[in-house]
Amino acid sequence: MQNIRQTARNQIISVVNNAISSAGFESVPFAVETPRELSNGDFSVNAAMLLAKSAKLPPRAVADKLAQFICTKGTYIDRVEVAGPGFINFYLNNSWLYDVLPLVEDLKENYGQTDIGSGESIVVEFVSANPTGPMHMGNARGGALGDSMANVLRFAGFDVTKEFYLNDSGNQIEKFACSLEARYLQQCGVEVPFDEEWYLGEDIIDRAKEFIAIHGDKYVNAPQDERKAALTEFALEKNIGEMKKTLSDYRISYDVWYRESDLYKSGEVDEVIRLLQEKGYTYKKDGALWFKASEDGEKDEVLIRANGVATYFAADIAYHRNKFQKRGFDRAINIWGADHHGHVARMKSAMEALGVKPDRLEVVLMQLVRLMQGGEVARMSKRSGKAITLNVLLDEIGVDAARFFFNMRNAGSHFDFDLDLAVEQSNNNPVYYVQYAHARICSIIRLLAGDGIFVKNCGDIDISLLKEKEELNLLRKIGELPDEIALAAQALEPSRMTRYAIELANDFHSFYSACRVNVEDRQLCQARLKLIDAVRITLSNVLGIVGVDAPEKM
RNA sequence: GCGCCUGUAGCUCAGUAGGAUAGAGCAACUGCCUUCUAAGCAGUGGGUCAGGAGUUCGAAUCUCUUCAGGCGCGCCA
């Protein structure tokens, strides 16, 4: 068992079930909870309240009776009390906390892992920014969220693939091509109009200039198709290369870069449209082919335009079918901006139409980032080009702060990013607080090593010397990690990890102020050294999941 | 108009498979550095969980409703 809390819970479940049957009650699916106040025990059970009705007794009476039948022999349970409306509270002896240290010693960088995923395969698709320009704040949040979520799922025992879907064909690429062509011709002295619908950003002009630096103006008089194709291929590869570089700076590495154009090349887009037609999920209207998403037609969507060109939606159906039916993933998780939520129901009904259970597709809707500057909302439209890019953000606040900051809030909460504060590199940023705890620990370990005192194995230490409140709090917090990982994985909320890291750092700083590691009593010194080494490992594992450095010095 | 998300301390947010006295950080105030990093610790004050009704032993959490803000409702993605 790699989870000390689960071990304790299992003991309690077993002991309470025995008591229920010994007392002659019917079995109930009771909960083992963690009371908010430690004074109410390490765990509590609500069985008495649930049994009260069928037993025709007040909850407290049921609880008293159950408590009499609880046998604590051979368990961590020290004593049992009935309290409040009928809670049965379990107080454990300290040995359950001590047992976490050998666990950490044994598992090291794997401590915290659980097996709730039981090897289920999940593809996590995130960022998937259009390669038509630089990445922005929304991609920054999506990147931090998606990568950390995938890391959490891996820790929870899922077989995870990180994937970037590259929209390298279709309508927006055509717009991209037109924008490039116009900028190219303008740079070459040819006056051409620039459509308001095109990409207005400076980066398009830069690409045109770079293209000219290599090819000069020789494409000015070339056939338009040839000109656009040359420009697009050049700029696309350049942009994709820059995206990969930026994401790598952001400590994100994908297992798969999946190209939309491959779905057309392989014929999967045509194939999926044919399948939908055969199954009767399509109809023609106004010259276009529509997908019938619902009876009322409210959510119907065009698959093939009247001009014969397939929509992004059609390619996206083929893409998701590919995930499930061609590559066989059990689940697919997509991180989407909240502005795409209208797309979710359609995609799920498309999957259903193809015979894929729609709940295998889970879309995490991430509320958009609102950029605040000087107390005002700064707009970040890509077309207008007036956006803070991910590159600039990383230059200004650093990777650690960005990764940590974007994982401090739940995906569903709106995010006001105060640019002034971030640029300040203010100490308000809790990432320093957590990293400082890690650096402090490393410093102590370094100093003791200088005196010839090293971290020993648990077998050679008397862990039970750890009796101070701060020491026990630390052990308790370390023991919570596997539960936290499991909860974060179930809720798809990696933000639990940053909150846990702050709590653990907080417990360490409290310990640091209350207890000295380098004390005369060599036995106690060794026990405390072991304790902080376990904190170091735990902090490092959590920061690794979030994608933040665990520095040895600050 | 319809749909999704959000509303909790002055600010930013946790807590929502119903549980005990609703938490944290920041800001404010009071203490703590001759000993392992003060980027730290200890403490104080601060609440109509947006409003209302309902469900039950028990509701911030579930249901209904009102209000406020964000986003969406394209042969864009």
Side-chain angles (χ1 to χ4, degrees):
Chain A
M1 179 57 72
Q2 303 192 339
N3 182 344
I4 206 72
R5 291 174 57 81
Q6 192 58 50
T7 307
R9 275 194 299 262
N10 289 344
Q11 290 181 359
I12 290 167
I13 289 168
S14 151
V15 150
V16 172
N17 273 328
N18 287 341
I20 288 174
S21 77
S22 301
F25 296 123
E26 291 169 23
S27 67
V28 281
F30 60 88
V32 182
E33 299 170 317
T34 309
R36 195 165 32 232
E37 298 291 330
L38 201 53
S39 59
N40 287 325
D42 294 295
F43 293 96
S44 73
V45 160
N46 64 349
M49 282 98 98
L50 301 176
L51 285 165
K53 202 168 253 177
S54 68
K56 291 178 183 160
L57 284 169
R60 296 252 345 179
V62 177
D64 285 333
K65 195 164 181 193
L66 286 177
Q68 284 170 19
F69 283 98
I70 284 171
C71 170
T72 62
K73 212 169 193 173
T75 69
Y76 287 129
I77 302 163
D78 190 42
R79 63 194 166 90
V80 177
E81 276 181 12
V82 172
F87 288 105
I88 304 169
N89 294 338
F90 292 82
Y91 298 79
L92 309 191
N93 57 52
N94 287 344
S95 68
W96 83 291
L97 294 176
Y98 298 144
D99 281 354
V100 78
L101 287 182
L103 211 56
V104 178
E105 174 181 295
D106 203 35
L107 296 168
K108 296 186 182 65
E109 70 274 11
N110 295 325
Y111 174 68
Q113 288 187 356
T114 70
D115 54 6
I116 61 162
S118 32
E120 209 179 15
S121 65
I122 304 184
V123 56
V124 183
E125 181 214 323
F126 56 103
V127 182
S128 298
N130 275 337
T132 50
M135 290 179 291
H136 51 70
M137 295 291 283
N139 301 134
R141 186 178 191 184
L145 174 66
D147 191 55
S148 301
M149 184 186 297
N151 293 342
V152 164
L153 289 168
R154 259 179 205 159
F155 243 68
F158 292 92
D159 177 10
V160 177
T161 298
K162 298 182 187 178
E163 185 154 311
F164 190 113
Y165 181 52
L166 204 44
N167 306 126
D168 64 343
S169 76
N171 216 33
Q172 87 284 355
I173 293 294
E174 178 56 24
K175 252 191 224 174
F176 183 55
C178 293
S179 315
L180 282 164
E181 183 191 32
R183 293 306 190 201
Y184 173 72
L185 292 173
Q186 285 170 354
Q187 291 294 311
C188 292
V190 184
E191 263 192 49
V192 288
F194 199 91
D195 196 307
E196 278 183 9
E197 289 294 301
W198 296 348
Y199 293 99
L200 294 160
E202 280 291 317
D203 54 288
I204 302 286
I205 299 173
D206 292 342
R207 291 290 171 269
K209 284 179 179 166
E210 288 157 9
F211 186 81
I212 291 168
I214 297 168
H215 301 287
D217 60 0
K218 75 174 183 188
Y219 281 96
V220 170
N221 294 315
Q224 187 183 38
D225 283 357
E226 205 177 299
R227 181 167 60 228
K228 279 165 81 171
L231 275 159
T232 306
E233 199 199 324
F234 169 81
L236 213 48
E237 292 316 310
K238 185 110 188 164
N239 281 355
I240 291 168
E242 285 195 2
M243 276 197 321
K244 287 186 177 179
K245 167 75 168 62
T246 302
L247 287 164
S248 149
D249 289 346
Y250 202 27
R251 303 193 187 124
I252 296 175
S253 69
Y254 287 94
D255 300 302
V256 177
W257 287 75
Y258 203 95
R259 285 183 182 245
E260 182 184 358
S261 57
D262 285 347
L263 292 165
Y264 287 98
K265 285 178 194 159
S266 69
E268 284 174 70
V269 179
D270 293 338
E271 192 183 331
V272 86
I273 290 170
R274 198 168 58 243
L275 266 171
L276 290 172
Q277 279 178 306
E278 284 167 7
K279 292 175 184 242
Y281 284 98
T282 62
Y283 61 90
K284 281 249 179 190
K285 193 176 92 183
D286 303 331
L289 185 72
W290 291 70
F291 171 66
K292 188 168 175 47
S294 55
E295 284 307 314
D296 57 14
E298 280 282 311
K299 291 172 177 136
D300 291 1
E301 180 82 28
V302 170
L303 292 166
I304 301 178
R305 301 182 183 90
N307 65 9
V309 179
T311 58
Y312 170 88
F313 179 56
D316 219 13
I317 297 173
Y319 175 49
H320 284 92
R321 171 167 175 262
N322 176 283
K323 287 178 180 174
F324 291 114
Q325 294 185 335
K326 303 268 178 179
R327 287 188 280 161
F329 287 110
D330 297 316
R331 293 164 65 188
I333 296 172
N334 295 348
I335 313 286
W336 283 356
D339 52 339
H340 286 65
H341 73 79
H343 201 50
V344 177
R346 280 191 277 274
M347 188 53 61
K348 280 178 177 275
S349 43
M351 287 304 106
E352 196 158 26
L354 293 168
V356 173
K357 262 189 81 180
D359 55 4
R360 286 168 64 191
L361 172 65
E362 293 160 272
V363 180
V364 175
L365 289 176
M366 173 186 73
Q367 290 300 314
L368 301 181
V369 179
R370 204 167 56 154
L371 207 50
M372 307 295 286
Q373 197 163 20
E376 285 181 10
V377 179
R379 240 6 213 148
M380 46 178 222
S381 152
K382 198 181 229 182
R383 277 214 330 271
S384 75
K386 276 188 68 181
I388 302 292
T389 67
L390 177 50
N391 261 321
V392 169
L393 181 78
L394 295 182
D395 283 348
E396 286 184 350
I397 71 169
V399 181
D400 287 340
R403 290 286 305 241
F404 199 93
F405 208 67
F406 279 119
N407 269 307
M408 288 201 332
R409 287 165 178 73
N410 290 345
S413 57
H414 300 264
F415 199 151
D416 281 353
F417 195 100
D418 187 334
L419 200 66
D420 300 321
L421 188 72
V423 171
E424 258 177 47
Q425 255 194 335
S426 129
N427 288 342
N428 292 342
N429 199 326
V431 65
Y432 292 110
Y433 181 81
V434 176
Q435 290 182 316
Y436 184 48
H438 187 268
R440 263 185 159 175
I441 293 168
C442 291
S443 173
I444 296 171
I445 292 174
R446 214 165 32 235
L447 286 166
L448 286 174
D451 294 339
I453 302 171
F454 301 97
V455 180
K456 287 188 183 173
N457 287 334
C458 289
D460 301 324
I461 300 171
D462 185 2
I463 299 171
S464 67
L465 293 172
L466 302 173
K467 291 192 168 91
E468 297 296 329
K469 182 184 70 185
E470 289 80 7
E471 295 167 329
L472 299 175
N473 283 344
L474 261 182
L475 289 168
R476 187 174 289 110
K477 188 62 71 180
I478 293 169
E480 286 173 8
L481 182 61
D483 273 3
E484 284 296 325
I485 301 274
L487 287 167
Q490 275 159 5
L492 301 180
E493 279 294 1
S495 57
R496 294 192 78 99
M497 294 293 100
T498 52
R499 286 194 290 274
Y500 174 80
I502 291 168
E503 286 167 13
L504 180 58
N506 185 11
D507 285 342
F508 170 74
H509 287 308
S510 298
F511 161 82
Y512 182 91
S513 299
C515 311
R516 239 184 113 71
V517 176
N518 190 5
V519 286
E520 289 290 318
D521 180 345
R522 184 57 70 92
Q523 298 260 15
L524 182 60
C525 174
Q526 285 292 350
R528 285 181 172 167
L529 180 57
K530 188 70 193 178
L531 172 63
I532 65 166
D533 193 51
V535 176
R536 178 186 64 79
I537 292 168
T538 307
L539 266 182
S540 164
N541 292 355
V542 173
L543 287 175
I545 288 171
V546 180
V548 172
D549 255 353
E552 296 187 2
K553 282 182 184 174
M554 281 176 77

